[in-house]
Amino acid sequence: MAPPAQERKLPFGKIEPNTAKYFASCTLGGIIACGPTHTSVTPLDLVKCRRQVDPKIYTSNLSAWRSIFAKEGLRGVFFGWTPTLVGYSFQGAGKYGFYEYFKYLYGEQLFPNSNRTLVFLGASASAEFFADMALCPFEAVKVRMQTTLPPYAGTLREGWRKVAAKEGLGGLYKGIAPLWARQIPYTMTKFATFEETVSGLYWALGRPKESFGMLPQTGVSFLGGYIAGIFCAVVSHPADVMVSKLNADRKAGESASTAVSRIYRNIGFAGLWNGLPVRIVMLGTLTGFQWLIYDSFKVFLGLPTTGGH
């Protein structure tokens, strides 16, 4: 078993749980966990978004990557990585940092005797509400860049300037409502499923979490995250399709509700599930590695891994 945190030499000294330093550390962990992982799956995200907007554009994911690589090289396959990195780094900061804060606030300060699953759901929903405010402008630019041919813009800076010049701040935030509709259920599923899965895994192993070393604990975090990611993909996919459609095909002056109704009439219920298999693979892997990175960072700081308490 790994020695207790207080017996090891910690990189930034001992960090007390539920302090400002603790929440700041979790915020930094969220940046490290989310920004690079989302960026690494840009090729999957690029093809997924284009196929959601136009199912006939490619016959398969493999043919899509071959076609893009043949025309544009590796840069084309990773097109849109900059707004992805910046946007999801900001989102990760809010998602994980605020989650830890709201979990403490709801579970230990306001409602100490409430059901733990309700605490996980409430904390993750609150955290994602704020995290999406940071993500939304970058998501708007990313989707425009990835779903238009020829591309709406070649860089994050160019895309941001074009949207701001033509549509103002409202153009960068016109997708906030569908983004909340996609991300809040996604994050509620992600965190609550993760917490309950990790607890279930330790129960199945027949030993308390504290009896395992840090390497097995982070392995449990990865497995719990992967399982949570599968559930996340299914729950949030229809809203994900609609976000892509809205950012690519919303007419000037058209309200969100009118645009959603028009788009749904065009694609139908089946169209809301375009690209689901690739999103399951993407989010399962993504979520698994995010929890692995996040909890590994916490271990590096001398903090306990998430879940299983």
Side-chain angles (χ1 to χ4, degrees):
M1 190 189 339
Q6 65 269 24
E7 295 179 8
R8 293 185 282 123
K9 185 177 181 180
L10 303 176
F12 301 106
K14 183 170 174 58
I15 299 173
E16 294 293 337
N18 304 320
T19 61
K21 189 174 182 180
Y22 173 80
F23 296 128
S25 300
C26 294
T27 299
L28 179 57
I31 294 173
I32 296 170
C34 290
T37 51
H38 274 280
T39 305
S40 70
V41 295
T42 297
L44 282 168
D45 191 39
L46 172 67
V47 173
K48 172 187 69 69
C49 287
R50 287 183 178 176
R51 296 188 75 184
Q52 285 175 343
V53 172
D54 182 5
K56 299 178 181 178
I57 189 170
Y58 305 118
T59 57
S60 68
N61 295 326
L62 187 59
S63 69
W65 291 319
R66 285 175 176 169
S67 174
I68 295 169
F69 185 79
K71 295 177 182 177
E72 306 170 57
L74 191 61
R75 181 181 181 277
V77 175
F78 277 88
F79 188 66
W81 72 269
T82 310
T84 300
L85 176 62
V86 178
Y88 282 94
S89 291
F90 279 123
Q91 189 215 31
K95 185 194 295 278
Y96 283 89
F98 278 127
Y99 174 70
E100 299 281 4
Y101 171 72
F102 283 119
K103 185 168 68 168
Y104 166 70
L105 179 65
Y106 298 159
E108 298 188 33
Q109 296 294 308
L110 300 180
F111 314 106
N113 299 317
S114 61
N115 179 275
R116 296 300 298 173
T117 302
L118 292 179
V119 170
F120 301 147
L121 291 169
S124 55
S126 300
E128 190 61 37
F129 178 84
F130 293 105
D132 286 345
M133 292 182 181
L135 169 64
C136 190
F138 301 96
E139 182 76 357
V141 174
K142 178 188 79 72
V143 171
R144 283 173 172 83
M145 289 173 61
Q146 290 182 332
T147 58
T148 53
L149 292 173
Y152 178 84
T155 64
L156 168 59
R157 180 181 296 181
E158 180 188 357
W160 187 288
R161 286 177 175 172
K162 289 182 71 173
V163 176
K166 292 182 179 180
E167 305 173 54
L169 186 63
L172 292 168
Y173 276 94
K174 74 179 184 181
I176 188 64
L179 188 63
W180 278 328
R182 181 188 79 183
Q183 289 296 134
I184 290 178
Y186 166 87
T187 300
M188 292 171 71
T189 303
K190 173 179 179 175
F191 282 85
T193 302
F194 172 81
E195 296 265 14
E196 298 297 346
T197 299
V198 167
S199 295
L201 288 171
Y202 284 117
W203 176 84
L205 291 169
R207 289 164 53 189
K209 169 183 170 178
E210 292 73 18
S211 68
F212 291 92
M214 290 305 175
L215 184 59
Q217 285 190 35
T218 53
V220 169
S221 295
F222 174 77
L223 180 57
Y226 202 101
I227 293 170
I230 294 172
F231 283 93
C232 291
V234 176
V235 167
S236 63
H237 192 71
D240 182 62
V241 172
M242 193 57 70
V243 167
S244 295
K245 288 283 191 180
L246 279 170
N247 278 303
D249 188 32
R250 186 171 173 183
K251 298 177 180 178
E254 188 177 40
S255 69
S257 59
T258 300
V260 167
S261 297
R262 175 178 58 81
I263 291 168
Y264 183 78
R265 286 196 301 270
N266 291 336
I267 66 175
F269 181 76
L272 293 174
W273 301 98
N274 286 333
L276 178 59
V278 69
R279 194 159 187 262
I280 286 175
V281 174
M282 183 179 82
L283 288 185
T285 305
L286 190 72
T287 307
F289 277 104
Q290 282 180 358
W291 281 111
L292 175 63
I293 294 168
Y294 179 68
D295 274 352
S296 295
F297 182 72
K298 290 176 75 174
V299 168
F300 171 72
L301 296 180
L303 298 170
T305 56
T306 312
H309 302 294

